[in-house]
Amino acid sequence: MLKLIVLYPQPADTEKFEKDYKAHTQFLHEKLGIPADARPYTITKMLPSPTGLPQMFSLPFNSPEELQAAMSSPAMQEIGADAQRISTGGPLVILVGNES
């Protein structure tokens, strides 16, 4: 199983980020057709550290082809642009990992 991982750097305004992130996850549900009560992803809020990473988003995919199709879709392009918009602490770190 592959995982798309997005790390959000410490935001310039944490309170605004939290509000924007909540709206961003609702946008994700809308664009990907995820029911409001479903959560196929995980969100991890990091503990305070020197790097200050406040959140990690992780979304699983069954295959490289499924990941590629999702990443190239217009919906995912809009979601990615919105993620960049709310990341006021700097650029996102986007990783793809293979869960073993």
Side-chain angles (χ1 to χ4, degrees):
M1 176 168 296
L2 295 176
K3 284 195 174 184
L4 171 67
I5 300 166
V6 180
L7 301 175
Y8 289 85
Q10 184 66 42
D13 180 339
T14 303
E15 187 175 319
K16 181 172 180 352
F17 174 80
E18 291 298 330
K19 288 179 186 176
D20 287 347
Y21 194 79
K22 183 176 180 178
H24 175 71
T25 57
Q26 291 171 343
F27 183 64
L28 173 100
H29 278 252
E30 175 188 311
K31 287 294 178 180
L32 297 183
I34 300 170
D37 61 342
R39 195 166 165 188
Y41 52 84
T42 58
I43 297 171
T44 305
K45 290 189 177 201
M46 302 298 175
L47 297 175
S49 71
T51 58
L53 291 174
Q55 285 193 177
M56 177 179 79
F57 172 88
S58 178
L59 180 63
F61 291 91
N62 293 314
S63 69
E65 296 79 18
E66 185 180 290
L67 172 64
Q68 183 60 39
M71 294 302 289
S72 62
S73 73
M76 193 64 93
Q77 296 296 312
E78 289 181 58
I79 293 164
D82 192 56
Q84 293 287 348
R85 178 191 64 79
I86 69 170
S87 184
T88 60
L92 301 171
V93 176
I94 299 172
L95 305 166
V96 175
N98 199 4
E99 191 173 85
S100 55

